[in-house]
């Protein structure tokens, strides 16, 4: 079984150099996922000097772990958006997604980017095992509401996957996310952008200056496109408070070859919580499906094999005879009110985060909004995505998400048991009390043992082993670290201390 996301087949190496000299640019972009790369392409097109700095390789984190449905249908249901915001604002959120889809398809067509873009039908189906009568009424109402807002949608009694009541959406899309961002990155470089991979931004010693690797970058404005935002040059208290409006969830995906050509190309999801999401595509007899779901709060479940098995069971019911070839997991960032935070956090800093499972479209929308900000223009959804907005009706959700922090902070410390790191087996990771310290000990498949502090450098919670990804994940705000302690996802900005 291949445990690397399917999109990385035939592509794993860095395509751009690392940074080894000081730079001065108009715009610094930190992070090379869909958000950062789209921004580099757009900003270079404005005739400004731009540098993009990526810690790993382009798309190496969530953009490479996605299932890449391109849809304006948000993970937060339309009726929920209307209840939290208003009918007009719910429509605006979907319009932002549709705008991004139009940008993606026209950019691919104009520049002949080969990334298997395909227009497909999308379905939102009632979850099996729910009160179908109640769900059917809600789906009928949502289909009508979406149509009245100008989105082509129809209620149907039976979807093609699970034969449940559903909404059918026309003109949705799917593509290969890495081929797309690689194409955009090439275009950005041809427009003059400088792209650096395997280079980490480690510090913002003062406004307008960032440390990246051994180099210093001077910039006029910075775009923090790191999925979970770095503190950047905002103050620590502000950054910590901002963090309490978000929560990281792990989500799982399996890719399977399909036995015949009977299942049509489509994107599909259901209304379960957590929900299942499926894409089907291919040519002739060579067809495959990717099924995702089984989400849980990052760092709060260590039995990933059970999650994959649950997905395989679901897939065998949906498409009998499918052969699973790949499995992987990734993170989605949820916000307190269900919409992302996109916009400036100071005169010279712009952030984009909290895309839930809509980062392909809303991450693209964020890059378009960055360009607006630089041009001094605005789109209608600017206020809606404003990072400082107050959505009072989401306060209950805010409290629910953040109750974890004090509880985990204390409980996880009490439950650490005394142990000997030498007892760790290959492929295993465990948090132990050892020589008076709480240590995170992991052994790789070649038998090498790494021992670091189990205390998350963000705000001091105890990390937990993620057996699916062989990483240390923090249950409080979702920071993630390699088995050897190197930080791979914030809000933590420092590595685990190595012993
Ligand atoms: C399994 C799964 C399925 C999904 N399905 C869909 C879907 O069908 N449709 C959809 O629209 N969305 C989907 N999503 C969500 C979507 O993939 C993400 O929202 C999107 O990829 C986020 O893009 P990004 O550019 O913000 O972040 P990322 O792709 O994570 O990029 C951020 C980059 O910043 C880099 N970075 C971090 N810190 C630093 C630093 N200090 N210095 C330099 N670089 C740094 C990281 O290495 C990373 O590459 C899915 C996600 C997952 C995990
Ligand atoms: S304490 Fe906040 S991410 Fe670990």
């Amino acid at each position: 079984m291949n445990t690397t996301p399917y999109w990385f087949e035939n592509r794993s190496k860095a395509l751009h150099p690392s940074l080894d000299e000081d730079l001065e640019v108009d715009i610094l972009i930190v992070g090379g996922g869909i958000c950062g790369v789209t921004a580099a392409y757009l900003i270079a097109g404005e005739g400004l000097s731009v540098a993009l700095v990526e810690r790993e390789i382009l798309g190496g984190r969530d953009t490479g772990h996605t299932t890449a449905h391109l849809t304006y249908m948000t993970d937060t249901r339309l009726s929920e958006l209307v209840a939290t915001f208003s009918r007009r604002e719910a429509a605006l959120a979907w319009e932002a997604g549709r705008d991004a889809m139009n940008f993606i398809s026209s950019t691919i067509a104009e520049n002949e980017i080969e990334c298997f873009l395909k227009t497909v039908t999308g379905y939102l189906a009632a979850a099996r095992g729910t009160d179908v009568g109640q769900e059917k009424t809600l789906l009928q109402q949502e289909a009508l509401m979406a149509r009245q807002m100008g989105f082509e949608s129809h209620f149907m009694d039976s979807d093609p996957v699970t034969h449940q009541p559903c909404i059918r959406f026309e003109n949705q899309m799917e593509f290969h996310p890495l081929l797309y961002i690689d194409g955009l990155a090439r275009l950005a470089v041809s427009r003059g952008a400088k792209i650096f991979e395997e280079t980490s931004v480690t510090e913002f010693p003062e406004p307008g200056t960032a440390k990246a690797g051994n180099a210093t970058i001077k910039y006029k404005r910075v775009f923090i496109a790191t999925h979970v935002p770095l503190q950047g040059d905002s103050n620590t208290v502000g950054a910590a408070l901002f963090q309490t409006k978000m929560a990281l969830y792990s989500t799982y995906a399996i890719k399977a070859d399909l036995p015949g050509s009977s299942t049509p190309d489509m994107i599909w999801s259901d209304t379960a919580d957590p929900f299942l999401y499926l894409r089907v595509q291919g040519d002739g007899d060579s067809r495959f499906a990717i099924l995702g779901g089984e989400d849980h709060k990052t760092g709060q479940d260590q039995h990933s094999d059970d999650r994959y098995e649950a997905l395989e069971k679901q897939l065998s019911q949906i498409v009998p005879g499918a052969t699973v070839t790949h499995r992987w997991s990734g993170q989605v960032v949820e916000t307190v009110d269900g919409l992302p935070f996109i916009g400036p956090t100071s005169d010279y800093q712009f952030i984009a985060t909290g895309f839930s499972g809509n980062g392909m479209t809303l991450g693209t929308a964020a890059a378009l909004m960055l360009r607006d900000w630089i041009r001094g223009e605005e789109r209608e959804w600017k206020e809606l995505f404003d990072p400082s907005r107050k959505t009072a009706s989401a306060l209950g959700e805010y409290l629910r998400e953040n109750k974890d922090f004090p509880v985990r902070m204390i409980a996880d410390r009490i439950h650490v048991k005394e142990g000997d790191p030498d007892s760790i087996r290959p492929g295993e990771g465990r948090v132990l009390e050892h020589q008076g310290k709480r240590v995170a000990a992991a052994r790789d498949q070649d038998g090498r043992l790494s021992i670091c502090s189990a205390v998350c450098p963000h705000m001091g919670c105890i990390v937990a082993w993620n057996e699916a990804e062989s990483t240390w994940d923090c249950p409080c705000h979702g920071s993630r670290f390699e088995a050897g302690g190197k930080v791979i996802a914030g809000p933590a900005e420092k590595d685990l201390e190595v012993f």
Side-chain angles (χ1 to χ4, degrees):
M1 175 76 62
N2 196 329
T3 53
T4 308
Y6 170 64
W7 316 116
F8 284 98
E9 286 208 335
N10 306 321
R11 179 207 184 268
S12 58
K13 293 194 197 77
L15 305 171
H16 304 267
S18 52
L19 178 65
D20 55 11
E21 60 182 16
D22 293 351
L23 276 184
E24 202 164 333
V25 288
D26 292 319
I27 311 290
L28 168 63
I29 298 169
V30 189
I34 192 164
C35 215
V37 173
T38 310
Y41 166 72
L42 288 170
I43 302 308
E46 297 294 290
L48 296 170
S49 59
V50 51
L52 181 155
V53 178
E54 163 56 42
R55 179 159 54 200
E56 302 179 22
I57 55 173
L58 296 188
R61 279 288 123 210
D62 290 292
T63 296
H65 289 65
T66 186
T67 50
H69 301 195
L70 295 173
T71 174
Y72 44 71
M73 187 181 63
T74 43
D75 282 7
T76 308
R77 286 180 71 169
L78 191 58
S79 48
E80 278 177 55
L81 288 181
V82 171
T84 308
F85 296 91
S86 67
R87 205 178 161 99
R88 179 181 166 272
E89 288 167 310
L92 280 179
W94 280 35
E95 274 172 36
R98 183 163 59 188
D99 196 53
M101 289 162 72
N102 290 339
F103 168 81
I104 291 170
S105 61
S106 62
T107 306
I108 290 171
E110 279 161 26
N111 298 289
E112 299 178 357
I113 301 175
E114 288 184 15
C115 59
F116 305 108
L117 179 75
K118 191 156 191 180
T119 301
V120 293
T121 304
Y123 297 92
L124 173 65
R128 286 170 295 172
T130 51
D131 176 349
V132 171
Q134 204 183 348
E135 195 60 273
K136 184 174 171 176
T137 309
L138 189 55
L139 288 167
Q140 280 169 329
Q141 287 167 353
E142 286 185 334
L144 177 63
M145 205 189 303
R147 210 165 48 248
Q148 287 169 344
M149 291 173 176
F151 301 96
E152 212 179 328
S153 57
H154 298 277
F155 174 80
M156 287 169 59
D157 279 319
S158 176
D159 79 274
V161 177
T162 49
H163 312 294
Q164 295 285 93
C166 72
I167 309 177
R168 176 188 162 112
F169 293 96
E170 307 303 334
N171 298 319
Q172 309 301 291
M173 296 185 290
E174 52 189 15
F175 70 170
H176 188 305
L178 291 188
L179 290 177
Y180 173 64
I181 66 160
D182 285 348
L184 274 190
R186 271 195 304 276
L187 291 165
V189 169
S190 71
R191 288 174 161 191
K194 292 183 189 321
I195 296 184
F196 303 101
E197 292 177 285
E198 298 178 333
T199 306
S200 213
V201 169
T202 48
E203 207 187 329
F204 292 85
E206 56 184 318
T209 306
K211 291 270 180 209
N214 295 324
T216 299
I217 306 176
K218 297 254 180 222
Y219 58 83
K220 294 198 180 100
R221 294 183 182 192
V222 61
F223 178 31
I224 307 280
T226 49
H227 201 198
V228 180
L230 303 173
Q231 183 183 318
D233 43 24
S234 58
N235 71 67
T236 308
V237 176
L241 276 177
F242 185 65
Q243 192 59 48
T244 62
K245 297 186 198 169
M246 298 186 294
L248 255 79
Y249 281 75
S250 295
T251 183
Y252 298 80
I254 55 174
K255 180 248 167 197
D257 292 332
L258 298 184
S261 54
S262 56
T263 317
D265 288 358
M266 71 176 105
I267 58 172
W268 175 99
S269 55
D270 73 7
T271 59
D273 182 18
F275 63 88
L276 279 176
Y277 46 98
L278 173 79
R279 67 180 269 179
V280 181
Q281 73 176 89
D283 293 311
D285 286 340
S286 167
R287 305 181 57 69
F288 67 89
I290 300 178
L291 180 68
E294 291 290 315
D295 305 14
H296 62 80
K297 257 188 119 170
T298 296
Q300 297 191 10
D301 184 308
Q302 292 168 41
H303 304 292
S304 47
D305 278 346
D306 297 349
R307 306 281 174 169
Y308 290 124
E309 273 165 32
L311 282 178
E312 285 183 29
K313 195 167 158 208
Q314 295 273 7
L315 187 67
S316 66
Q317 289 167 4
I318 295 171
V319 198
T323 313
V324 178
T325 58
H326 294 66
R327 64 194 209 178
W328 68 88
S329 71
Q331 321 300 312
V332 289
V333 187
E334 305 289 350
T335 65
V336 66
D337 59 15
L339 288 183
F341 296 116
I342 307 170
T345 48
S346 76
D347 286 347
Y348 39 78
Q349 178 169 290
F350 194 96
I351 65 156
T353 186
F355 301 124
S356 187
N358 301 112
M360 295 291 107
T361 44
L362 296 180
T364 301
L368 289 161
M369 290 170 70
L370 173 81
R371 185 178 63 178
D372 294 343
W373 179 61
I374 283 163
R375 284 180 174 174
E377 295 173 355
E378 289 182 0
R379 274 169 213 241
E380 278 172 283
W381 40 86
K382 175 176 170 269
E383 305 293 330
L384 186 60
F385 296 152
D386 185 342
S388 63
R389 69 178 178 267
K390 297 199 176 30
T391 315
S393 54
L395 189 63
E397 189 71 12
Y398 169 80
L399 296 175
R400 188 168 69 85
E401 288 296 357
N402 283 283
K403 76 178 188 330
D404 283 346
F405 174 58
V407 173
R408 304 290 309 211
M409 175 80 152
I410 297 162
D412 291 350
R413 279 166 186 265
I414 293 169
H415 291 135
V416 177
K417 295 203 180 83
E418 181 107 19
D420 181 357
D422 284 342
S423 66
I424 306 279
R425 295 183 306 271
E428 191 190 6
R430 246 187 297 149
V431 172
L432 306 165
E433 176 94 27
H434 180 62
Q435 296 177 343
K437 290 186 172 137
R438 289 175 185 91
V439 301
R443 196 183 291 281
D444 68 18
Q445 295 296 354
D446 297 328
R448 275 184 300 267
L449 182 67
S450 45
I451 305 177
C452 25
S453 168
V455 180
C456 174
H458 178 233
M459 289 170 82
C461 289
I462 299 294
V463 295
W465 182 243
N466 172 341
E467 65 181 22
E469 299 273 302
S470 296
T471 54
W472 295 109
D473 297 352
C474 181
C476 286
H477 312 104
S479 291
R480 302 183 64 225
F481 309 85
E482 285 178 1
K486 188 168 180 283
V487 64
I488 49 177
E493 296 179 18
K494 293 195 170 71
D495 301 340
L496 295 175
E497 189 186 348
V498 177
F499 294 137

